[in-house]
Amino acid sequence: MNMQSILRNTRAALAYLGTNPKMVAGMAILAVLLLIGIIGPLFVDIRLAEPISVRTNQPPSAEHWLGTDSGGRDLLAVVIAGTPQTLRMGVLAGVIGTTIGVMLGLFSGYFGGWWDRIIGAVTDTMLTIPPLAILLVVASSVRAVNVEMMALIIAALSWMHATRVIRAQVLALRELGYVQMARLSGLGSFSIIFREIFPNVIPIAFASLVGATSGAILSGMGLEVLGLGPQNTPTLGMTVYWALLYAAFSRGMWWWWSPPVIILALLFIALFLIASALDDFANPRLRSQS
């Protein structure tokens, strides 16, 4: 596959995805959430996300639009500061996990033999282990957890599904005529993998990335709600944790827990729509039905 074919396929993919209503809606929601972190600090001082005892437990008002919590944090500032941190953790974990999974899937599917047996055995073994149990053990063993550390911990357990999906696709692609011709022409294995096969699995890799990002955010939420997240960094999950810790639900402080829950719900909806659109593009049968 030459560069012109790759560019032509890329243009076709962008043209299709640009008119797919699920992709448009998902990207629009995601853009709004990103703008919260980008434009929000221009209008709200995110230093108000720090605890100050003189403004605790205040309901929404003209001074504090989303109210304050028991530590005196302005919850609008917390949301503005925490949304990009949550996104950054999810994207970083998704990129690392998907990259590992794609590389392992490419090598396992193309080379086969002992490569395939070893990678397959490790993948199957990891899939049988409850990831939350490992995450709890690792996260509780790390003294100072930050956003980057959480992303690395989650990424270490989020590569298996991408490996299996990419491997299955490569097993089919490696028997196609253009790959056989590349072998007969003397092209090296790594050149075939990255020049002939990899461009054809890019849509599936992107769909895996979106799924891994969504799963990473959900895993991070699980750790944060249990109090194992970054204590000194405002994130949406830690905001929910503090709300649970100080009984915001039973005290009727809806303004404390509802904003991060709404933001997280919108984020998951956006990622689901984007993943569904990418799946439509990667699966011709789904594309023909839409």
Side-chain angles (χ1 to χ4, degrees), residues 263-275:
I263 294 287
L264 286 167
L266 290 173
L267 179 57
F268 284 123
I269 290 172
L271 293 173
F272 172 78
L273 291 172
I274 293 171

Side-chain angles (χ1 to χ4, degrees), residues 80-99:
I80 290 173
T83 299
Q85 295 290 344
T86 299
L87 281 169
R88 185 159 67 95
M89 180 196 65
V91 171
L92 184 58
V95 168
I96 296 173
T98 303
T99 300

Side-chain angles (χ1 to χ4, degrees), residues 14-43:
L14 293 176
Y16 171 78
L17 294 174
T19 58
N20 186 294
K22 289 184 283 189
M23 175 61 76
V24 173
M27 291 300 295
I29 297 173
L30 192 58
V32 171
L33 296 180
L34 288 173
L35 286 175
I36 291 176
I38 296 173
I39 299 179
L42 299 178
F43 300 96

Side-chain angles (χ1 to χ4, degrees), residues 122-198:
V122 174
T123 302
D124 292 340
T125 301
M126 293 296 294
L127 285 171
T128 62
I129 302 174
L132 184 58
I134 300 178
L135 289 172
L136 287 173
V137 172
V138 175
S140 60
S141 302
V142 179
R143 290 186 177 180
V145 178
N146 53 31
V147 171
E148 292 78 12
M149 182 64 68
M150 282 193 66
L152 290 174
I153 294 171
I154 296 170
L157 297 169
S158 62
W159 53 268
M160 293 84 73
H161 291 286
T163 300
R164 298 189 73 175
V165 170
I166 297 299
R167 173 188 176 274
Q169 188 71 11
V170 174
L171 285 174
L173 291 173
R174 73 178 185 178
E175 303 301 330
L176 295 181
Y178 73 92
V179 177
Q180 299 293 339
M181 289 298 298
R183 287 199 192 98
L184 293 174
S185 67
L187 201 63
S189 296
F190 288 97
S191 296
I192 294 175
I193 289 173
F194 292 106
R195 291 175 55 182
E196 306 295 336
I197 294 178
F198 177 68

